């Protein structure tokens, strides 16, 4: 299974195109449609086209799609397309490592889609670094809105932006 064209369009609307790098709310250098710039990309990703941004988005979604598709046969109940898309959207945003360790994934494996949907609401914090390097979790209004939309995709197949 792959992310649907509706999800890719949603992510493009949600992330909004940026040809040049910017610091996201979590303080990470980002470009294109929400692509977090990796250390080895810092010297090459500084001014990109929308076509390049779309390619980066596709490449960012690939590992999530492949991972979900590979583990789904062991789920008690397989995901439908919009449930799959909701998970891809979440994992694209939080990272595959965090998604792999999530309680949401545990519920999916057990076939408990109701509790899995409720878990979207827990992913609303960003880490801020304060004075002296002290890190703290802060509730993000932007993430609250995004999770509401990710959950709507997962539960009802609504791809609003």
């Amino acid at each position: 299974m792959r992310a649907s064209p509706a999800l890719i369009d949603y992510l493009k609307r949600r992330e909004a195109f940026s040809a040049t790098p910017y610091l996201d709310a979590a303080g990470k250098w980002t470009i294109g449609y929400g692509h977090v710039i990796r250390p080895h990309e810092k010297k090459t990703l500084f001014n990109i086209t929308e076509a390049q941004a779309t390619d980066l988005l596709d490449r960012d979604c690939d590992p999530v799609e492949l991972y979900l598709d590979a583990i789904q046969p062991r789920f008690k109940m397989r995901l439908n397309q919009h449930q799959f898309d909701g998970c891809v959207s979440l994992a694209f945003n939080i990272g595959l490592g965090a998604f792999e360790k999530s309680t949401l994934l545990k519920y999916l494996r057990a076939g408990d889609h109701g509790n899995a949907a409720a878990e979207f609401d827990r992913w609303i914090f960003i880490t801020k670094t304060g004075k002296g390097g002290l890190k703290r979790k802060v509730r993000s209004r932007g993430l609250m809105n995004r999770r509401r939309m990710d959950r709507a995709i997962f539960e009802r197949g609504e791809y609003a932006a």
Side-chain angles (χ1 to χ4, degrees):
M1 188 176 280
R2 301 292 289 185
S4 71
L7 178 67
I8 299 302
D9 289 343
Y10 161 79
L11 289 173
K12 284 180 169 183
R13 290 189 315 270
R14 180 75 194 141
E15 295 292 337
F17 172 70
S18 176
T20 57
Y22 64 93
L23 280 174
D24 70 6
K28 296 180 181 180
W29 285 104
T30 307
I31 197 166
Y33 296 111
H35 174 76
V36 174
I37 299 172
R38 297 174 182 102
H40 70 278
E41 297 172 323
K42 286 182 180 176
K43 292 182 180 174
T44 58
L45 291 180
F46 49 86
N47 193 13
I48 64 172
T49 65
E50 286 191 53
Q52 290 169 313
T54 298
D55 184 54
L56 286 171
L57 176 60
D58 288 340
R59 288 192 308 193
D60 287 342
C61 288
D62 280 347
V64 178
E65 294 166 333
L66 293 171
Y67 173 76
L68 277 173
D69 202 43
I71 65 171
Q72 258 204 98
R74 296 187 300 277
F75 285 9
K76 205 166 205 165
M77 190 174 8
R78 289 186 64 93
L79 302 174
N80 63 33
Q81 184 65 56
H82 62 80
Q83 291 168 329
F84 185 88
D85 284 352
C87 291
V88 169
S89 182
L90 176 68
F92 167 79
N93 188 244
I94 68 171
L96 187 54
F99 183 79
E100 285 178 301
K101 297 174 191 168
S102 71
T103 303
L104 187 149
L105 182 57
K106 289 176 186 160
Y107 284 130
L108 290 177
R109 289 176 194 262
D112 187 347
H113 293 175
N115 277 323
E119 287 294 308
F120 280 86
D121 301 337
R122 298 184 66 208
W123 291 92
I124 58 169
F125 297 93
I126 58 174
T127 302
K128 291 281 193 175
T129 304
K131 293 180 180 176
L134 182 64
K135 294 184 179 198
R136 60 188 172 93
K137 298 276 185 185
V138 178
R139 188 181 309 241
S140 164
R141 188 172 304 241
L143 286 181
M144 291 168 68
N145 187 40
R146 182 177 183 131
R147 295 304 167 245
R148 182 179 48 78
M149 291 189 279
D150 290 346
R151 186 173 178 174
I153 292 170
F154 181 86
E155 290 183 308
R156 300 180 298 281
E158 294 175 4
Y159 296 81

